[in-house]
Amino acid sequence: MLFVTYAGLRAVLEAWDSDGFPEALAVKLELLPIIFPVHMVTGGLSLILVPGTILLRKTRFHKIIGRITAADILLAGITAPFVAWAVPVTIISAAGFTAQALVWTGLLAAGIWNIRNGRLRAHQTCMLLMAAVTSGALFFRIFLGLWSRFGDHHYFNDFYALNAWVAWSLPLFAVLIFHRFSGRGLRGQLH
Ligand code: HEM
């Protein structure tokens, strides 16, 4: 929890203090001086809000925090493709981020739709899967850190493109597989 909170707060602060940004990201910031900081702030907050909303699920705060989280994710998700396609590192990485944003906001919409129709378990499942996709932002940076320490810099673009897909789909499939083997199959839940 401490690590997730730290990563979230750091992302929020980077929206104001981006001096240490690598060239590829500094260019994006120049092109999108409002959209990119909005993405960083809302993306960073989502790392705190998503687990917070899940932890508060049995309290009266769940509904209000849930609404704030949904609005936050919507903003972070809508801004992500703009950031992705502004001078992308590679087209494959931009497509990976766009797919992540679509799956992220799609799961959010499915979760809201399910709870509005009284399907609690399907709602929980969608939100758990959405949390898994959110964690992709963390795995992306963990894999990036490991690569810059141990990787071959000649293949950076290939690694970056792969990371943009794997970092979020890996936790997503891990949660899907966990659900299947824990007897809480998804069939009939995701409408
Ligand atoms: C889950 C859906 C998300 C998508 C699709 C997404 C997409 C992106 C993209 C495309 C970039 C620019 C990197 C590039 O183009 O090479 C970026 C940067 C950034 N995002 Fe997100 N993002 C998401 C969630 C988050 C979350 C949860 C955080 C919280 C940490 C976050 C914080 C940031 C920050 C701080 C940057 C600036 C540079 C960096 O630290 O890498 N984003 N995001």
Side-chain angles (χ1 to χ4, degrees):
M1 275 310 287
L2 273 178
F3 174 62
V4 173
T5 309
Y6 167 76
L9 288 177
R10 225 187 117 184
V12 173
L13 291 177
E14 271 182 1
W16 281 276
D17 178 20
S18 52
D19 286 350
F21 262 20
E23 184 61 27
L25 291 177
V27 172
K28 287 174 188 280
L29 199 56
E30 226 173 276
L31 288 171
L32 305 168
I34 294 171
I35 291 180
F36 198 5
V38 166
H39 173 75
M40 284 187 254
V41 171
T42 49
L45 284 177
S46 76
L47 284 185
I48 299 161
L49 287 169
V50 170
T53 312
I54 293 173
L55 284 174
L56 292 170
R57 70 188 177 282
K58 283 183 181 149
T59 74
R60 63 198 164 97
F61 300 111
H62 180 76
K63 219 171 175 176
I64 178 75
I65 298 281
R67 283 181 178 156
I68 295 168
T69 306
D72 179 81
I73 287 176
L74 209 59
L75 263 178
I78 287 171
T79 49
F82 291 96
V83 179
W85 289 100
V87 201
V89 174
T90 70
I91 287 174
I92 296 173
S93 63
F97 292 131
T98 307
Q100 181 183 14
L102 286 174
V103 172
W104 204 34
T105 47
L107 284 167
L108 171 72
I112 293 172
W113 192 70
N114 274 307
I115 200 63
R116 291 242 157 135
N117 287 287
R119 286 189 286 267
L120 180 63
R121 274 205 50 200
H123 168 74
Q124 287 172 338
T125 303
C126 288
M127 291 319 179
L128 218 56
L129 293 173
M130 195 198 71
V133 177
T134 313
S135 76
L138 282 180
F139 286 112
F140 184 83
R141 284 161 186 82
I142 291 169
F143 296 153
L144 200 59
L146 287 172
W147 177 269
S148 59
R149 177 83 180 79
F150 302 109
D152 181 337
H153 293 272
H154 288 107
Y155 300 107
F156 178 77
N157 282 4
D158 297 331
F159 158 77
Y160 200 83
L162 189 69
N163 198 11
W165 285 91
V166 168
W168 61 273
S169 49
L170 210 64
L172 179 64
F173 283 118
V175 172
L176 277 169
I177 289 167
F178 172 77
H179 253 263
R180 186 163 176 77
F181 287 104
S182 65
R184 301 180 67 189
L186 297 175
R187 200 173 299 161
Q189 281 194 48
L190 298 174
H191 301 281

